[in-house]
């Protein structure tokens, strides 16, 4: 087994988790990922709202930015975008 | 004060600054939850009492309370403990310091409300510290000490008392003043840990707390589960000195020290044979020892108080010097080679260069009494034992053929 | 490498949930059993999730197989997820691969550039095919497991293709089975290889 | 109750700062549960402590050593999440009252307890603990994410699986085709406990969902939210159509949106619009046809199954209209 795994003496008490999942790149699962046509974006935020993976970062004003390191490529944002500003493209 | 065993436990809980009690009634534990309910409803105890709908939920809620920072208590018996089975392991593995009184009772079927140790013996591998009480006084003392042991060791603790024999038997119990107990146990303190990859180098409270979120109860795959179990098992070995220290401190405030802590020998110094057992039966055994000693027979008795962690080294050291040892098991391990106490004690003795002859006596199932004449018979058998029996290893005491 | 000389063939699959790693290994084992050999197929169990990393294993032999448990020293490694064909994963992909062993990857890249990009030692044979594109075009889904079986057939003469077709028909029915067979055949044609260099062993 | 109106921009800014659930969890692509989790956190009025029953969410978000949770989170077992929630809330109340941590900058005790369970953990194995907690009036917000089968173990039927659906334990056989029973009326069961607030939500109607979740947090006692949750793995739908299917479930009245405040049923959002204008109610077939689990029902010889499904939907709809006084 890989030596990067922690041994029993160094694990935190009570089996509590100790690394944030943000260090886990689920973006590698994706076959397709979103590409945003900024000129079409009306900043409605639906891509952000409907993302199951908290991938879109949105300040409420600018064009939402997807975190492709974590986007699994489900394509919900493409289907739900009211102005077709999002297109899923092969990774 | 005149209290029965259940009431003695309830008194200890009332005095121990317990924050949350979650419990469900079951004979012969019921008096504990009734008394605590009275204390809470009369305003004598500032705790939240969760009237759960099952024992499974009783321990689940106690676990949640403990993780949220509370001192949590529950109590059960027999089938109730069996229903908690799954959560026993989870409570121990997450190192939640819940204290539980278990009023030992036989398991169904047939349904039987009386005493034996099948329930807690079945739970012996679940990761709980187990302390067995001999009478109502000890049930009281053990319950108070259990909170301190649990919170210092970060292991849940079961305090057991024999159903009816202790739970429903009114006796003299010396109850300490409220403030003495309160000072002794203090309020629950939260241990701190570091999770550098989430919260940096700060030591954070190990509890459910929005200031420093922690994830309890994750999924392990084959890459970590084994390590977690080894860590838990090794940590349990570290509880011996904690248990000893708390007993010493309790001795100082109460005058009752239960020395030596893990097992208490009686007239064993020059004994040839001893009976080794748990709980209330052992006071009767001591009485018989006195009688036989008067006849010049070299007999003694040893009562084990702490079954988990199992004090194998002490047992080996103590028992190796005898000619024969009779183990009293108030429990059957179906299909096993003897009861749980027998198999563990005999295993502990394997490394000894001078091993005594060891007999297993299964007795008292479902509340059957063990009369003095049968204890005398056991001693006589041990005194005349010439070699380790081939078969049967197990002898049933006090059962009709 | 001539298969007849090797009594036990061990294959390790790497992929992600939803790509049919376990199904692919099951089809292979089924085909081998139908071809009169002894075979095993089993996954490394984690939670069932679309997209999560999955490992599966095959053992194929002319004799009954007594080995159990994961394969540590495979003869062949099949990587069905192109996102695993990256420098950071190489060590786990080729971990334990026997000298002269074959690394079969799903990638658009050609084998020699994959070898240089990933610094794959000369002692391994590298095979590749763009299985995701083939699967998308032939099957309509990014499940490149049967496609990778085509690459396996191109890289070895492990089993006659008829048995794999039978295996695919066992796992899927009708039109879907045919599409998978088409993908397999196309992968056989489009496969390319960078052979192992002669390795002198001490 | 609250008159709070969620503003999507404010919600987004709040999430930018707090991120209750991190990316990098391993729920399937397109899993509806991921959206529900975020919406629960968006609706929170105070800090939250989160209890999760065994299930997909628990497993996929906390694969050791990783955790996706930036809120305090605990999982104990499958059937007892509500009891754990009760324990946490009891502890919180007692510790808050005792002022033990007053002035301690490292501990927060003014929080709401949210309990999340799947359909297995709610309809079936966890029902008893929920009933106990609701009878006691413990202040927890219980959210059921209902993806209509045991997805974590690989798609087995639950008390929440709809009629006709194919699961691995209700296969489409030669004699019996899919599940032969209907869904358990779980909201009615919870409402029968006389809890102050219960509601159904669909993440697709995010505004409606978040308002109801907030009401659940604000309820003076237990609240129950039934959240409909698409499962691409178990339902066999395109991952991209998760929201579309959730909308169709509402538009066909397969999953109507309503709330029950102190026993009073009230239709909300698009469901209320359908009640007012029945022509808008779409046939169930439109919902069924997007999912592989119902595909067999659409074959000519199984047409009766679609009809039976439709009859059930119509009957339940009529009942609901009556309960809502419409």
């Amino acid at each position: 087994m890989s030596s990067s795994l922690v041994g029993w003496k160094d694990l935190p008490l009570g089996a509590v988790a100790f690394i944030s999942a943000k260090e886990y790149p689920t973006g590698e699962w994706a076959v397709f990922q979103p590409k945003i046509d900024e000129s079409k974006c009306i900043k409605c935020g639906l891509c952000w709202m409907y993302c199951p993976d908290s991938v879109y970062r949105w300040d409420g004003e600018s064009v939402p930015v997807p975190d492709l390191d974590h986007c699994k490529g489900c394509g919900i944002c493409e289907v739900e975008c009211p102005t077709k500003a999002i297109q899923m493209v092969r990774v | 004060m005149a209290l029965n065993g259940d009431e003695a436990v309830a008194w200890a809980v009332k005095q121990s600054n317990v924050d949350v009690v979650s419990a469900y009634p079951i004979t012969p534990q019921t008096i504990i939850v009734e008394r605590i309910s009275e204390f809470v409803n009369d305003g004598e105890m500032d705790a939240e009492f969760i009237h759960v709908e099952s024992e499974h939920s009783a321990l689940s809620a106690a676990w949640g309370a403990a993780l949220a920072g509370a001192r949590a208590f529950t109590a059960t018996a027999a089938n109730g403990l069996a229903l908690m089975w799954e959560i026993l392991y989870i409570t121990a593995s997450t190192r939640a310091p819940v204290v539980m009184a278990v009023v030992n009772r036989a398991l169904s079927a047939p349904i039987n409300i009386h005493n034996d140790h099948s329930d807690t013996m079945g739970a012996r591998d679940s990761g709980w510290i187990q302390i067995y009480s001999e009478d109502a006084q000890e049930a009281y003392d053990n319950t108070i000490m259990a909170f301190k042991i649990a919170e210092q060791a970060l292991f849940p603790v079961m305090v057991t008392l024999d159903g009816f024999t202790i739970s429903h038997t009114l006796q003299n119990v010396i109850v300490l003043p409220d403030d003495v107990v309160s000072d002794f146990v203090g309020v629950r303190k939260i241990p701190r840990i570091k999770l550098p990859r989430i919260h940096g180098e700060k030591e954070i409270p190990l509890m459910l707390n929005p200031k420093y979120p922690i994830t309890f109860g994750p999924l392990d795959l084959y890459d970590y589960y084994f390590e977690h179990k080894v860590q838990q098992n090794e940590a349990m070995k570290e509880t011996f000195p904690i248990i000893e220290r708390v007993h010493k401190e309790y001795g100082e405030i109460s005058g009752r020290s239960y020395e030596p802590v893990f097992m208490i020998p009686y007239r064993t110094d020059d004994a040839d044979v001893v009976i080794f057992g748990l709980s209330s039966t052992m006071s009767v055994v001591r009485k018989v020892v006195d009688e036989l000693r008067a006849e010049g027979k070299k007999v003694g008795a040893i009562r084990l108080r702490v079954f988990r962690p199992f004090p194998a080294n002490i047992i080996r050291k103590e028992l190796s010097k005898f000619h024969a040892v009779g183990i009293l098991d108030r429990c059957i391990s179906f299909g096993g080679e003897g009861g749980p106490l027998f198999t563990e004690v005999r295993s502990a003795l394997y490394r000894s260069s001078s091993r005594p002859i060891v007999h297993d006596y299964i007795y008292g199932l479902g509340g059957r009494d063990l009369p003095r004449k049968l204890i005398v018979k056991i001693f006589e058998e041990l005194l005349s034992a010439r070699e380790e029996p081939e078969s049967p290893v197990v002898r049933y005491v006090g059962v009709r053929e | 490498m001539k298969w007849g000389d090797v009594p036990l063939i061990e294959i390790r699959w790497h992929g992600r949930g939803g790509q049919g790693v376990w199904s692919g290994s099951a089809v292979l084992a089924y085909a081998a059993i139908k071809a009169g050999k002894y075979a095993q197929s089993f996954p490394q169990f984690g939670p069932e999730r679309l997209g999560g990393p999955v490992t599966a294993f095959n053992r194929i032999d002319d004799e009954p197989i007594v080995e159990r448990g994961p394969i540590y020293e495979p003869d062949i490694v099949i990587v069905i997820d192109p996102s695993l064909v990256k420098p950071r994963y190489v060590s786990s992909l080729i971990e334990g691969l026997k000298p002269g062993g074959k690394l079969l990857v799903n990638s658009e890249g050609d084998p020699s550039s994959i070898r240089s990009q990933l610094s794959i030692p000369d002692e391994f044979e590298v095979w590749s095919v763009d299985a995701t594109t083939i699967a998308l075009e032939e099957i309509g889904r990014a499940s490149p497991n049967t496609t990778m079986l085509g690459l396996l057939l191109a890289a070895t003469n492990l089993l006659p293709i008829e048995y794999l077709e039978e295996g695919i028909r066992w796992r899927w029915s009708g039109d879907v089975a045919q599409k998978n067979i088409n993908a397999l055949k196309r992968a056989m044609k489009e496969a390319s290889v960078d052979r192992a260099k002669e390795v002198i062993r001490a | 109750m609250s008159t709070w109106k969620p503003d999507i921009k404010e919600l987004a800014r709040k999430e930018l700062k707090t991120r209750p659930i991190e990316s990098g969890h391993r729920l399937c692509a397109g899993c509806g549960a991921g959206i529900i989790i975020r919406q629960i956190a968006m609706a929170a009025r105070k800090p939250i402590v989160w209890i999760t029953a065994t299930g997909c969410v628990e497993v996929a978000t906390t694969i050791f050593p990783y955790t996706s949770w930036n809120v305090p989170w605990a999982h104990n077992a499958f059937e007892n999440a509500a009891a754990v929630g009760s324990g946490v809330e009891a502890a919180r109340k007692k510790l808050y009252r005792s002022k033990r941590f007053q002035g301690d900058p490292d501990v927060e005790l003014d929080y709401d307890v949210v309990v999340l369970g799947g359909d297995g953990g709610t309809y079936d194995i966890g029902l008893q603990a929920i009933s106990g907690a609701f009878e006691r009036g413990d202040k927890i917000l219980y959210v059921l994410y209902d993806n209509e089968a045991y997805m974590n173990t690989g798609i087995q039927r639950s008390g929440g699986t709809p009629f006709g659906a194919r699961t691995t334990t209700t296969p489409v056989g030669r004699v019996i085709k899919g599940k032969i029973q209907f869904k358990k009326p779980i909201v009615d069961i919870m409402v029968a406990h006389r809890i102050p607030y219960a509601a159904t939500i669909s993440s697709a109607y995010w505004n409606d969902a978040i308002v109801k979740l907030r009401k659940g947090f604000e309820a003076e006692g237990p609240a129950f939210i039934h959240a409909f949750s698409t499962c691409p793995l178990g339902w066999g739908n395109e991952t991209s159509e998760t929201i579309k299917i959730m909308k169709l479930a509402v538009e066909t009245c397969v999953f109507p949106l309503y709330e029950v405040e102190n026993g009073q049923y009230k239709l909300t959002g698009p469901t209320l619009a359908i009640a007012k204008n029945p022509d808008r109610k779409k046939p169930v077939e439109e919902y069924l046809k997007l999912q592989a689990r119902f595909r067999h029902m659409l074959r000519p010889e199984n047409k009766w199954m679609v009809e039976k499904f439709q009859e059930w939907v119509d009957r339940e709809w009529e009942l609901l209209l009556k309960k809502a006084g419409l």
Side-chain angles (χ1 to χ4, degrees), chain C residues 109-137:
Chain C
D110 66 276
S112 58
S113 54
I114 291 169
R115 185 192 295 281
S116 62
Q117 274 164 25
L118 304 191
S119 310
I120 292 165
D122 285 347
E123 67 196 58
F124 304 128
E125 205 165 287
V126 180
W127 288 77
S128 76
V129 75
D130 185 4
T132 301
T133 298
I134 294 176
L136 282 170
E137 289 176 10

Side-chain angles (χ1 to χ4, degrees), chain B residues 10-76:
Chain B
W11 262 86
V13 171
K14 174 193 164 190
Q15 295 177 310
S16 294
N17 301 324
V18 170
D19 299 306
V20 174
V21 176
S22 73
Y24 187 77
I26 181 170
T27 307
Q29 159 266 34
T30 311
I31 300 167
I32 299 178
V33 295
E34 289 172 344
R35 289 298 166 272
I36 294 175
S37 301
E38 288 166 17
F39 294 143
V40 170
N41 282 13
D42 287 341
E44 291 178 32
M45 183 180 167
D46 182 18
E48 289 292 314
F49 195 123
I50 312 175
H51 299 91
V52 284
E53 79 300 332
S54 75
E55 285 91 353
H56 194 282
S57 285
L59 187 53
S60 302
W63 179 85
L67 255 58
R71 178 171 291 159
F73 174 83
T74 185
T76 191

Side-chain angles (χ1 to χ4, degrees), chain A residues 3-59:
Chain A
S3 58
S4 66
L5 298 176
V6 177
W8 68 262
K9 290 178 183 168
D10 298 321
L11 286 173
L13 268 180
V16 299
F18 67 90
I19 303 178
S20 169
K22 67 186 168 199
E23 296 187 29
Y24 193 88
T26 46
E28 292 183 348
W29 300 10
V31 180
F32 297 92
Q33 284 191 326
K35 191 165 169 276
I36 301 175
D37 181 344
E38 299 199 5
S39 67
K40 288 189 188 164
C41 175
I42 55 168
K43 292 146 194 143
C44 66
L46 287 182
C47 53
W48 167 80
M49 174 60 80
Y50 291 140
C51 177
D53 287 285
S54 318
V55 156
Y56 281 94
R57 310 285 163 124
W58 188 41
D59 60 9

